[in-house]
Structures are given as structure tokens and as C-alpha cells.
Amino acid sequence: MRTAIIGGGAAGFFLAINLKEMMPTMEVTIFEKSKKVLAKVEVSGGGRCNCTNSFAEVSDLSQVYPRGHRLMKRLFKTFDYHDAYDWFEKHGVRLVTQDDECVFPVSQDSHTIINTFLLYAKRLGVEILTERKITSLDELKDYDYIAVTTGGGTASMAGVPTIENVPSLFTFNIEDEALHALMGTVVEEATAYIPGTKFKASGPLLITHWGMSGPAILRLSSYAARELHEHLYQMPLAVNWCSRKDAEVQTGLQNIMAQHPQKQLATIRPFNLPTRLWNYLLEKTLGERAQYRWQHLTQKDLNRLTNCLCNDNYQIAGRAAFKDEFVTCGGVSLSAVDANTLESKDLPCVFFAGEVLDIDGVTGGFNFQAAWTTAYIVAQAIARHH
């Protein structure tokens, strides 16, 4: 029996190794169109490879999988993040969970995972063919099973319903020179949202020389990927700089007024906001009155400051790529595959795993976990199919 795997990335290798471990007699060949396998694994997590997440802070999978969370919940019953963690440790990759719940190799080097994949693939007899682009499934007629693990942005294949691929993890361009001057400023707990929609994300927010980045923005870009694409990445953006309700923020400002009436506005930063950001927001909201002392604030000034801290408005003027980790949403429609095996409903013995499926996660190791889970499910399905 022979299995062809199209795509030599994370999902492709994980599938190949697991399939050979479950079924040593299966001939497995990986076809990779470029010269190099596992290129995305190499650059992920800044070269450290954030390979999964502890999921300790995830109460509902829809928080981390904007698309595909129902399917992931089902598949996790067979192979979840605990299984992935154990799998890597068992195969010689020691892991560590950071304070932010992201999981990395102890070595802090993606090559630890790459070398492990290559070692096991070789040891188990997986054939790896690079610079072999497969344009049609007809080229693989000699194989009993085909697994498509070509990643995001993949062209559709004959007979498989696909959903348009659009970018899903990116930062926002904002044309505001005064904001750009705050480059490098981080607000540890901000909430970014798109007014008039349900899209909202919280976490650290980083101001850059082109606009905004950081986990809050990356998550928001993932949640709103399709809408942003449809609006050509020109949409309003609002930021709650303290992730607190208006009433709480106004009370906080009134308390400062009462306790430090003689102090200048700029010298007391509410909610521990970074100094440069607080000065920028004062200037933006009060203009020349930003030089005032706290006792001189009117109720109108207080209302304006409260509104600026809780609903600060910007205009997204485009997207910027997030390092080399380009994730897309879209791909093979989940309605086109069997929810238990990921086999195509229309093409017998053709399976899909990894980012080629319309599943995508926010940043933090969730996309790799989807790759490990879906690849394992396909390996098991092929082994049982036989």
C-alpha cells in the first residue's frame, strides 16, 4: 500500500511519521514543491517554534480558532494539546511552557523539531522528494491514498469545494505621525475592536512606526480576517487603552482629581499608562489644555478623557505582514470533508490536514496544534482504512 503526501511542512511530516509508526508496511512519499522542507517551522516563533499552547486560559475553542473551532473540539477527543506535548517529549523534543502558556522546545530553537522530524522520517523509511510540484491529483494515480497538506494560500484542486484564502494574521497600518512617534510603546492590557461589529480582542498592544501590532491586534486581525479583506483593509478601529468600563475609568480620573488637584495632568498617569502614550492622549483630547492642572478639569474635559481612554478611534489604512508567519483563512471547505477522518466526501481516499483546511488559529501555537491534530487524525484514518 502506498500513500502520497503533498506538502513537506509541519502537517505533512507529522502525518508521515505517525502513519509509518501505525503502519510500518505502508510506503509513504512526501512531495514538496520547493527546495526546502519545513521552511515555515524554521521561522515560526522568531526561529524558536511555538509548537503548541497549554490551553490553560482557553475556556472556549472559538476564542483561539475563529474558523474551525467546532471541528477542532471533535478532533481533540482523539488527539489534543496534551497528546501533542507527550508526542514531542516521547520523540526526544523536550518542551517548556512559558508564563503566557505558549509551549516551545527547551532548546528555544526550531531546528530541534525540524531535526527530529527529519530523523524519524529517515529512520522509518519515508521518501522525501523536493522540487516536485503536484498540480493535479491525476499525477498520483499509482498511490492508494493521497493526503493534501499544502498549507495556506493553496490553489483549489479539481472537485474539492474551497473557500477563498485571505490573510489572517497581520498588523495594522495607521496613518498618524503623532502615533508613529510612540514607536515601541507597549500597553500590557488593551482591548482593540472594530466599531459596529462583534470583533474584539484583548491583550498586549504594541505601537509601531507603521501603526499597531502585538497580540491584541494580531488576534483581532484573525477574528475579522474576512471582513477586513472585503473592506480592502480600510476600516475603523477603536482601542480601550485600559480594558475597563467607562464608569470605572471616570471614577479613576475623579479620584486623581481629588487626591492631586495641584499636579499637572501629565505627571499623574491613570491606570499605569506609559508616559508617552498618556501625553499623546492628553494632547489629542484636550489640545492646549493638556498643560492644565487636575483641579482645572471641567466635567466636559473628564468626559472627553474617559471617552478617549475607552473608545479611542483610528482608521485602518492597510495591513502589514506579521514577520514571516503568514497565516491564511480559507482553503478546503470543512463541509467537504468527513468530520471524523478528514477524507474528502467527493474524492475517495483523498484526505486533508493542516492549514489547507479552512481552520485557522490566533497567534500562540494554535495553528501548529491544528496541524498536529489534523495530521494525526488523517494518519489514523488511513491506517484504519487499510
Side-chain angles (χ1 to χ4, degrees), residues 75-90:
L75 302 183
F76 270 5
K77 290 173 184 165
T78 302
F79 191 91
D80 68 2
Y81 43 96
H82 297 299
D83 298 310
Y85 196 104
D86 292 345
W87 190 96
F88 280 105
E89 292 258 326
K90 192 176 115 193

Side-chain angles (χ1 to χ4, degrees), residues 186-192 201-206 213-217 219 240 243:
V186 177
V187 178
E188 287 302 335
E189 191 52 44
T191 299
S202 298
L205 189 152
L206 168 68
S213 181
I217 295 298
R219 287 190 169 202
N240 182 327
S243 287

Side-chain angles (χ1 to χ4, degrees), residues 97-267:
T97 306
Q98 296 186 164
D99 292 343
D100 61 2
E101 307 304 331
C102 293
V103 177
F104 287 86
V106 169
S107 65
Q108 300 289 306
D109 185 353
S110 61
H111 290 97
T112 306
I113 288 176
I114 292 170
N115 294 341
T116 297
F117 281 172
L118 293 173
L119 172 75
Y120 274 89
K122 186 177 179 184
R123 189 180 287 174
L124 293 164
V126 175
E127 188 178 11
I128 301 164
L129 302 177
T130 54
E131 297 184 86
R132 287 290 302 274
K133 186 174 183 179
I134 304 296
T135 53
S136 163
L137 298 182
D138 291 340
E139 296 173 46
L140 301 170
K141 282 181 184 154
D142 296 342
Y143 288 84
D144 302 284
Y145 304 100
I146 297 170
V148 182
T149 61
T150 44
T154 310
S156 60
M157 292 202 179
V160 182
T162 59
I163 295 166
E164 183 193 6
N165 280 101
V166 302
S168 163
L169 270 189
F170 47 87
T171 64
F172 296 159
N173 288 334
I174 295 168
E175 291 168 0
D176 179 338
E177 286 184 17
L179 180 74
H180 298 171
L182 306 179
M183 178 181 100
T185 299
V186 177
V187 178
E188 287 302 335
E189 191 52 44
T191 299
Y193 59 98
I194 295 175
T197 73
K198 64 182 187 299
F199 302 116
K200 176 194 269 189
S202 298
L205 189 152
L206 168 68
I207 298 172
T208 67
H209 66 276
W210 66 84
M212 292 185 193
S213 181
I217 295 298
L218 291 168
R219 287 190 169 202
L220 183 61
S221 79
S222 183
Y223 296 150
R226 294 214 170 278
E227 284 68 17
L228 284 159
H229 178 71
E230 283 163 17
H231 288 86
L232 304 175
Y233 306 98
Q234 312 278 323
M235 287 187 87
L237 169 71
V239 180
N240 182 327
W241 292 108
C242 356
S243 287
R244 287 175 166 85
K245 291 191 164 62
D246 292 39
E248 192 184 339
V249 169
Q250 180 136 97
T251 301
L253 293 175
Q254 286 167 338
N255 289 342
I256 294 173
M257 273 180 81
Q259 291 164 20
H260 307 282
Q262 299 293 329
K263 290 278 177 79
Q264 286 194 300
L265 294 173
T267 58

Side-chain angles (χ1 to χ4, degrees), residues 327-342:
V327 175
T328 61
C329 68
V332 175
S333 170
L334 300 186
S335 62
V337 298
D338 181 302
N340 295 309
T341 63
L342 304 181

